[in-house]
Amino acid sequence: MKVHLRVFVEVENLGKAMNALVEAGITGFYILEYKGMSPQEWEGFSIKEDPKSAVRLIRDHANDAMLICCVVDEEKTDKIVEKVIESMEGEKYTILEVPIKRIIVNYKDKESQRAETWLLEKEVPCFYCGENAVQRIKIDMNKAKIWCTNCGAARYYLVKGIEKGEK
Amino acid sequence: MVVKKWKLEKSANCYNCGDATIHNIKVDQYHIKIRCRDCGFTRYYAFHMVDLPDKTD
């Protein structure tokens, strides 16, 4: 299962949050800029309901904030969230974890979709250095490489054949 | 060099059937086998070479 991790931060903490996410091992993210308001900021006031007033209120009182989104493996989520919490101690932030039911990706170019490179990870003791470290696996259509992120020892594989299976 | 068998999964568009499916990936010391769980299309890879860093200790 994949998780859509959403980290809401104040604009001045964007770099800090991004560094924490990257250190925790995310492979990609996208960012949205938004205006945020908390209900307690207009506590005691009632907002005039005409659109102009509501928009002006947002312009005048809302804070600039950033939303960092990434898609992560469910089992890695806790580690990533802990890292963000540790780095953002004392700052204002909100973290949402949303389960993803499925992912559909469409490519413009059929051929580039077929030749897509896969990247996977597995944390096991390395065959060479023996350390329990992340082993990265890169699979292309015609070759594959597995390497240790600790010592760099790499194994290379070449495609040998294909088999059209039965359903 | 003793390498335990790994069993991994990857959601991707299958090269053969083109659907977004789950692929079973089996890795051992000498082989990698990738099989689409939906259509059964399988790719086999064979060990080619190893590139080892210098051990400092």
Side-chain angles (χ1 to χ4, degrees):
Chain A
M1 169 90 92
K2 298 270 187 187
V3 170
H4 195 217
L5 191 65
R6 301 172 189 174
V7 183
F8 299 78
V9 295
E10 289 176 306
V11 72
E12 57 269 27
N13 293 323
L14 174 66
K16 202 189 267 187
M18 275 167 56
N19 282 337
L21 287 164
V22 172
E23 267 178 49
I26 62 159
T27 49
F29 55 84
Y30 64 93
I31 286 170
L32 297 170
E33 207 175 347
Y34 72 98
K35 294 264 187 193
M37 277 185 92
S38 309
Q40 55 265 35
E41 284 167 16
W42 72 81
E43 214 172 12
F45 295 91
S46 66
I47 300 168
K48 277 192 195 167
E49 288 183 9
D50 64 295
K52 247 186 179 175
S53 302
V55 169
R56 197 182 311 133
L57 180 97
I58 300 284
R59 280 212 188 108
D60 295 345
H61 298 286
N63 300 315
D64 288 328
M66 304 296 287
L67 168 58
I68 312 165
C69 299
C70 46
V71 176
V72 296
D73 290 324
E74 191 182 14
E75 56 269 27
K76 288 183 190 161
T77 312
D78 287 348
K79 198 183 121 201
I80 295 168
V81 170
E82 275 167 28
K83 184 78 197 164
V84 175
I85 291 172
E86 187 193 315
S87 301
M88 298 286 291
E89 204 187 343
E91 307 291 355
K92 189 179 174 191
Y93 63 86
T94 304
I95 299 173
L96 294 187
E97 292 175 25
V98 184
I100 295 175
K101 208 170 152 198
R102 66 173 174 167
I103 299 174
I104 298 165
V105 182
N106 187 41
Y107 293 83
K108 216 172 167 185
D109 178 358
K110 275 270 174 211
E111 273 314 299
S112 67
Q113 167 201 344
R114 291 186 152 212
E116 190 191 349
T117 298
W118 296 357
L119 274 174
L120 297 107
E121 287 184 349
K122 183 160 175 81
E123 197 171 333
V124 287
C126 169
F127 74 97
Y128 187 61
C129 70
E131 292 289 324
N132 200 33
V134 170
Q135 310 293 306
R136 290 224 164 95
I137 304 150
K138 186 176 156 197
I139 301 172
D140 289 317
M141 280 311 295
N142 56 356
K143 61 184 191 299
K145 180 187 174 187
I146 301 172
W147 72 100
C148 173
T149 53
N150 181 53
C151 72
R155 307 202 300 271
Y156 294 86
Y157 295 77
L158 294 176
V159 77
K160 205 172 71 175
I162 56 162
E163 185 180 277
K164 293 215 171 187
E166 295 298 315
K167 275 210 176 192
Chain B
M1 182 167 96
V2 182
V3 179
K4 279 193 178 174
K5 266 193 182 183
W6 303 346
K7 282 185 180 175
L8 303 158
E9 288 180 355
K10 167 91 181 162
S11 303
N13 289 317
C14 175
Y15 182 82
N16 184 51
C17 66
D19 293 343
T21 61
I22 296 175
H23 293 74
N24 291 331
I25 303 168
K26 284 184 185 170
V27 179
D28 66 30
Q29 195 170 333
Y30 297 110
H31 304 100
I32 298 176
K33 181 181 165 186
I34 300 168
R35 185 175 188 276
C36 170
R37 226 183 252 183
D38 204 38
C39 74
F41 179 77
T42 309
R43 301 200 310 258
Y44 297 93
Y45 296 76
F47 178 77
H48 173 54
M49 57 172 273
V50 66
D51 181 15
L52 299 175
D54 293 331
K55 271 200 172 172
T56 46
D57 47 318

